Amino acid sequence: MTTVESLRTPGAMRDAERWTAHNYHPLPVVVAEAEGAWVTDVDGRRYLDCLSGYSALNFGHRHPGLIAAAHAQLDRLTLTSRAFVHDQFADFCHELAELCGKELVLPMNTGAEAVETAIKVARKWGYQVKGVPAEQATIVVAEGNFHGRTTTIVSFSTDPEARNDFGPYTPGFRIVPYGDLAAIAAAIDDTTVAVLLEPIQGEQGVVVPPAGYLPGVRELCTQQNVLFVADEIQSGLGRTGETFACDHEGVRPDMYLLGKALGGGIVPVSAVAADKNVLGVLRPGEHGSTFGGNPLACAVGTEVVRLLRTGEFQTRSAELGAHLHSALRGLLGQGLVAVRGRGLWAGIDIDPSLMTGRQACERLAERGVLAKDTHGSTIRLAPPLMIEADEVDWAIEQLTAVLR
Ligand SMILES: Cc1ncc(COP(=O)(O)O)c(C=O)c1O
């Protein structure tokens, strides 16, 4: 018989808390194994994963094709550094460039590194191609953004938790309200090299901008000779029901920033994709990373691109996403006050008089559903794209019970 004393979770939670910096506040779940949309904890309890590693697990846990690609590569070659070329590199860059409809790819590891890469490339493009005076480049960004955790990136965050006490801050960013085209137009001047945006703001609570905003940004950037940089690190690679969230409005940015799901939930892989007139500004020695574009990352990343080229995951996300959103809308007034999102990606606001987002996630976990609050009473739902319709229904049943 399992008694509370024999459970391994409390001790494992205590040990984790004892030995790490407290830069996260995890739910009391200690995961030991996972397959597909389900994880199992150290005490044998199963949970439906409705967070998917912040969309890094779009294909589910341990997708057989991705695991096979990783295993095959582990047995051959794992690291060279970019001092040499390896036999997985060109295929990955070629396939990803084609998926993005761009001429070149620059692989890195984490999402924040892709964002940093884009900032450097946009600035250099500004000085060398656009003719911005030295050291004057500005980049327009949006309020409520989340682009990562480096000192430069938190310099233009509007979230006090992410930013406060980490100064001095990097200059060169102009922050405008998200979804406001006129504000971007007003912020652009001769020094502006880029507009950097999430096409849907994930960490902010899966905030979808008004229709016409992204095409408007595209047009403005083209008119003003400014690069449109789309951070699709969380929104891209099938999450919203299209390959890229920009596709919903037929928009093609100058730079795509990708990460998370590009590593198949196995290794950190990120990338910047752009044409030669943009990425071509970099010369040897100006940028790089020891692990960026390593053989294991490329082998897994190539398989990720092949999975996306089938279109299966985009279709599943669109169809099951419609199902998820209609079920969630049915809970409006029944404990939910707002539902946003696209595809299998939803931001839901719990009625704050009932409970916080954190409390809702704790109660969901007790019922076998893993989700994570973003802030306040907002929860983000992002199940793996291979989830089945009856599993979506089951998750909604658990949410309904939690809100009751
Ligand atoms: C839109 C967006 N950009 C960048 C990042 C940073 O990615 P990473 O945590 O891999 O550095 C994130 C992470 O949540 C993100 O959602």
Side-chain angles (χ1 to χ4, degrees), residues 110-112 115 146-148 198 203 231 233-234 260:
T110 62
V115 176
F146 187 87
H147 297 286
E198 296 155 86
E203 298 304 302
D231 180 344
I233 288 165
Q234 193 166 165
K260 295 193 189 278

Side-chain angles (χ1 to χ4, degrees), residues 201-208 324-325 327-341 345-361 364 371-381 396 399-400 402-403:
Q201 287 190 327
E203 298 304 302
Q204 186 60 13
V206 195
V207 176
V208 182
L324 172 72
H325 281 277
L328 288 171
R329 279 194 299 271
L331 293 174
L332 285 170
Q334 318 279 323
L336 291 190
V337 293
V339 175
R340 296 171 297 275
W345 201 23
I348 56 176
D349 297 345
I350 313 259
D351 180 344
S353 67
L354 290 180
M355 65 192 97
T356 63
R358 171 79 189 185
Q359 286 165 332
C361 289
L364 280 169
K372 189 72 174 74
D373 48 311
T374 57
H375 47 78
S377 61
T378 301
I379 296 181
R380 166 228 341 257
L381 297 173
I396 295 287
L399 178 63
T400 309
V402 161
L403 296 174

